[in-house]
Amino acid sequence: MAQLKAALFDLDGVVFDTEPQYTVFWGSQCRLYHPEHPGLEHEIKGSTLDQIYDRWWSGPLEQEREAVTRRLNDFEAQMDFCYIEGFEAFLSDLRSHGVKAAVVTSSNHPKMQAVYRARPEFRSLFDAILTSEDFDESKPSPDCYLKAAARFGVKPEECVVFEDSINGLKSGLAAGAFVVGLATTNPLERIKELSEYQTLNYNGLSYDRLCELFNK
């Protein structure tokens, strides 16, 4: 029976219920720069900023990246960082049983400073916080989750990854971890094939329940 040693959490849509707010921001930018592509803000969900820029703000629009980044930084500084329902109790239960916990996010240092200002307790909730500056490759590469497992000196197969985006789910699977999919960004049916367990939030999840799923 495998032993659960570490829980690795993406940030937006997994720890914080921020995805609806990002939809509002990117909706405004996409309508401004890509009015020919309605609904683009939904297509880019789960992509890193570099991936978004490479795909949609290249060529003549490359000169607009600085302005978009400035607006994004201003927006994130004012965001409401509400925890996904049940998250705090679930995380506390995991750590009380000796499970190491890390945030593994594509967010950068400026974004995390906004998080720390809004949530002064945030850093104390985790054993490690890994950001985009810690990784060589973006999701769906497994690089970030392999580095997080190595940070704790555990094997990827001893970890549970919590993700909401398609690229994030693929990253967790590629790393060899047990993957729990949060249906906060994509519908349950879409994340089913990329995760071993799916949920809307953390209500009903506990250390014992997670171990039961982990060892099925």
Side-chain angles (χ1 to χ4, degrees):
M1 183 177 291
Q3 184 180 355
L4 171 59
K5 294 184 178 180
L8 312 177
F9 298 88
D10 179 41
L11 187 66
D12 294 296
V14 173
V15 174
F16 292 127
D17 187 17
T18 47
E19 286 303 328
Q21 296 174 74
Y22 277 115
T23 299
V24 171
F25 172 79
W26 284 112
S28 68
Q29 300 307 296
C30 291
R31 286 189 295 274
L32 179 62
Y33 292 102
H34 287 288
E36 81 289 352
H37 201 119
L40 178 57
E41 65 269 24
H42 300 289
E43 292 183 34
I44 63 178
K45 281 181 179 291
S47 301
T48 65
L49 188 58
D50 284 343
Q51 289 168 339
I52 293 171
Y53 281 166
D54 288 345
R55 177 70 177 85
W56 296 103
W57 269 265
S58 58
L61 286 182
E62 188 169 347
Q63 63 185 5
E64 297 296 323
R65 292 181 183 182
E66 186 177 341
V68 176
T69 299
R70 186 168 58 251
R71 294 183 199 117
L72 177 60
N73 289 340
D74 290 344
F75 181 83
E76 289 179 334
Q78 303 299 320
M79 281 179 66
D80 181 16
F81 294 101
C82 293
Y83 292 111
I84 297 290
E85 194 172 345
F87 173 76
E88 292 170 281
F90 174 61
L91 180 61
S92 177
D93 190 28
L94 290 181
R95 295 191 72 192
S96 72
H97 284 88
V99 177
K100 295 290 187 181
V103 166
V104 183
T105 177
S106 299
S107 298
N108 57 21
H109 284 163
K111 158 70 175 294
M112 295 311 297
Q113 293 306 312
V115 170
Y116 302 148
R117 286 192 298 271
R119 291 287 182 180
E121 80 287 354
F122 186 79
R123 278 182 273 205
S124 67
L125 298 180
F126 300 91
D127 299 290
I129 296 175
L130 287 76
T131 63
S132 62
E133 292 84 359
D134 296 307
F135 315 130
D136 298 318
E137 301 174 5
S138 299
K139 302 170 186 177
S141 165
D143 179 58
C144 60
Y145 286 116
L146 294 176
K147 281 186 167 64
R151 176 75 64 92
F152 292 143
V154 302
K155 301 173 183 176
E157 56 266 30
E158 296 172 321
C159 301
V160 174
V161 162
F162 295 83
E163 272 284 1
D164 64 313
S165 72
I166 300 303
N167 282 341
L169 294 164
K170 289 179 178 179
S171 175
L173 288 177
F178 182 94
V179 178
V180 173
L182 275 291
T184 53
T185 301
N186 295 287
L188 282 168
E189 54 269 21
R190 191 171 179 205
I191 66 174
K192 209 163 193 175
E193 62 184 24
L194 296 171
S195 52
E196 280 94 354
Y197 180 76
Q198 305 80 41
T199 185
L200 296 172
N201 52 49
Y202 296 95
N203 290 338
L205 271 180
S206 64
Y207 169 78
D208 289 338
R209 175 60 176 150
L210 187 58
C211 286
E212 179 185 326
L213 294 168
F214 187 71
N215 287 294
K216 264 190 175 180

